[in-house]
Amino acid sequence: MHYNKKHLFLTIALPIQIFLVQFLSQRPTVIEQYYSNGLYIYISNFFRFILGWIPFSFGDVLGFILIFLFARALYRFIKNRFKNFLHHILKFTAVLSIVYFCFYAFWGLNYFREPLAKNLGLTQSKYFTEELVATTKRIVFELNKVHLQIAKNDTLKIEIPYNQTEIYELAPNGYDNLSNVYPQLTYSIPSIKNSLISLFQSYNGTAGYINPITGEAQINDMIPKTGYPSTTCHEMAHQIGWAAENDANFVGFLASIANDDLYFKYSGYRMAYNYCIGQVYKHDKEIAKKIKQSVNKGVYKDYRDSYLHWKQFDNPIEPYFKKGYNSYLKANNQTKGIKSYSYVVDLLIAYYKQNN
């Protein structure tokens, strides 16, 4: 049987690519210098420039097309009773090889760069409960202050007055201000879109994601508004090369509180408090309860609404999506999987110790 030479070449290239990625994953200094601070900057700016002006998610549309083509090919394969089996397998692995290359070449190698703490000059170490509590109390102070500035009453819930487009337009301001302190966190050429699969994201419990092929930041447009600014800043952090979830959380936090807009500041401190109080509860429930009592009642009304929002999307399949995502994160240098998100607390403590 005659096989397509291109398919053969691409199929052979797949294991070579896997080996090369594994080889590079052990060399964070090389990735940091030549990819994250070199080639990736040009790649990401290019894609954001050519796609950022499009009002819808080009990446989602591309995904729909690929899924349709795969489903059609699978249907024909089954209909023809698995004829030319090896030919179809080679064709599939050839496409997989292209997707694998695009994923790591266009964004994915950032998973293996040096830690954000080192990049920002933060001393990250195992923390004591006292340090965790002190950081959480400081965040509570800032959260209460911003909440009161907006609501004028500590029992009132915050209502963000902006629509999604206005939030996307305001978000770069935080990065502009942040770049004055950390030039390496400069963000340019916005490409932030509403996700076309927001309903699906709601059912699998995700608020946003970056399309690693097109470089677009995709936001679930169904999430509660008070979490929208910090989620947007989180996905923008992914766009500038911070692939690890804890790193993106921390950069998103910094960009949110650096924003001139009070609603962004509120969203940033709200996110940080949520992670910190969760860790305090694990260390000392009594202290956590006391801290919780010091938070403005309006803030917890907001948390209650968010809880009820996500509760309506509970479904028996969601845990399997999370298991799949957990495996994906572990395969990309985040050994704790989904728990990696909460590692932002380590960075928050290091940041506040340095900026005491």
Side-chain angles (χ1 to χ4, degrees):
M1 181 181 289
H2 177 73
Y3 297 113
N4 186 300
K5 289 182 180 180
K6 290 181 180 179
H7 293 170
L8 274 172
F9 173 78
L10 290 169
T11 296
I12 293 170
L14 181 57
I16 296 173
Q17 290 183 75
I18 294 172
F19 171 80
L20 184 60
V21 167
Q22 291 302 310
F23 175 79
L24 290 173
S25 71
Q26 304 302 314
R27 288 157 179 78
T29 303
V30 173
I31 294 291
E32 186 73 26
Q33 182 176 352
Y34 296 105
Y35 180 76
S36 298
N37 287 298
L39 181 62
Y40 175 71
I41 293 175
Y42 298 101
I43 292 172
S44 60
N45 284 343
F46 170 75
F47 279 112
R48 293 206 298 275
F49 177 76
I50 64 170
L51 298 176
W53 63 273
I54 300 176
F56 59 86
S57 171
F58 179 83
D60 282 349
V61 172
L62 181 62
F64 291 145
I65 293 172
L66 290 175
I67 291 171
F68 170 75
L69 292 175
F70 175 76
R72 188 180 67 172
L74 182 62
Y75 169 76
R76 289 178 176 177
F77 182 48
I78 296 172
K79 185 180 179 181
N80 293 326
R81 298 183 179 181
F82 308 102
K83 288 182 180 179
N84 299 321
F85 181 79
L86 288 178
H87 168 77
H88 290 290
I89 290 297
L90 280 177
K91 190 175 181 180
F92 173 75
T93 52
V95 173
L96 186 62
S97 181
I98 294 171
V99 173
Y100 186 90
F101 172 81
C102 291
F103 175 83
Y104 283 106
F106 295 172
W107 183 74
L109 286 177
N110 285 310
Y111 276 118
F112 312 114
R113 69 185 300 181
E114 292 179 339
L116 175 65
K118 180 179 179 180
N119 189 282
L120 300 184
L122 299 175
T123 303
Q124 197 174 9
S125 60
K126 188 175 181 179
Y127 57 80
F128 297 103
T129 301
E130 292 78 10
E131 294 172 312
L132 170 62
V133 169
T135 298
T136 305
K137 286 182 177 179
R138 185 163 179 177
I139 289 170
V140 168
F141 174 79
E142 299 293 346
L143 176 61
N144 283 343
K145 183 173 72 174
V146 175
H147 173 266
L148 204 55
Q149 283 179 286
I150 298 171
K152 310 301 181 185
N153 186 312
D154 64 2
T155 64
L156 295 180
K157 186 183 67 174
I158 296 294
E159 298 285 353
I160 292 187
Y162 312 129
N163 60 35
Q164 286 97 345
T165 301
E166 290 170 329
I167 290 173
Y168 299 155
E169 291 172 349
L170 287 167
N173 168 261
Y175 278 92
D176 291 342
N177 293 337
L178 188 60
S179 66
N180 294 324
V181 181
Y182 298 113
Q184 63 270 51
L185 299 182
T186 298
Y187 180 95
S188 60
I189 316 175
S191 182
I192 313 163
K193 317 283 182 70
N194 286 358
S195 171
L196 298 181
I197 55 170
S198 291
L199 183 61
F200 173 74
Q201 283 189 266
S202 295
Y203 279 108
N204 70 24
T206 56
Y209 71 98
I210 181 176
N211 187 305
I213 309 298
T214 64
E216 296 164 296
Q218 322 275 356
I219 314 299
N220 176 348
D221 60 16
M222 298 177 72
I223 64 174
K225 278 285 186 70
T226 45
Y228 218 97
S230 57
T231 296
T232 301
C233 290
H234 172 103
E235 299 307 329
M236 292 168 73
H238 281 319
Q239 286 182 300
I240 60 173
W242 297 104
E245 296 302 338
N246 59 321
D247 290 348
N249 265 341
F250 184 66
V251 174
F253 163 76
L254 291 180
S256 295
I257 67 170
N259 202 293
D260 294 331
D261 187 86
L262 285 175
Y263 293 100
F264 271 78
K265 293 180 186 293
Y266 172 76
S267 188
Y269 285 120
R270 174 188 182 276
M271 181 269 287
Y273 170 71
N274 193 44
Y275 279 111
C276 285
I277 196 64
Q279 292 302 308
V280 176
Y281 265 103
K282 290 180 181 179
H283 285 73
D284 192 315
K285 290 184 179 180
E286 292 306 313
I287 292 177
K289 289 177 182 177
K290 289 180 180 178
I291 293 175
K292 183 178 177 180
Q293 290 172 356
S294 70
V295 178
N296 290 352
K297 290 181 174 60
V299 175
Y300 268 96
K301 287 179 181 178
D302 175 18
Y303 280 130
R304 176 66 179 171
D305 281 358
S306 292
Y307 169 78
L308 292 175
H309 168 83
W310 288 107
K311 191 69 178 173
Q312 67 182 319
F313 295 106
D314 280 354
N315 64 88
I317 302 176
E318 182 183 352
Y320 296 100
F321 283 124
K322 288 186 175 179
K323 283 184 180 180
Y325 184 53
N326 194 57
S327 299
Y328 161 79
L329 291 176
K330 288 182 177 180
N332 285 288
N333 207 36
Q334 296 184 73
T335 56
K336 298 297 181 180
I338 291 177
K339 292 181 179 178
S340 300
Y341 282 86
S342 64
Y343 274 39
V344 67
V345 174
D346 301 51
L347 290 165
L348 289 167
I349 292 171
Y351 174 75
Y352 279 110
K353 282 175 67 177
Q354 182 172 299
N355 297 277
N356 188 18

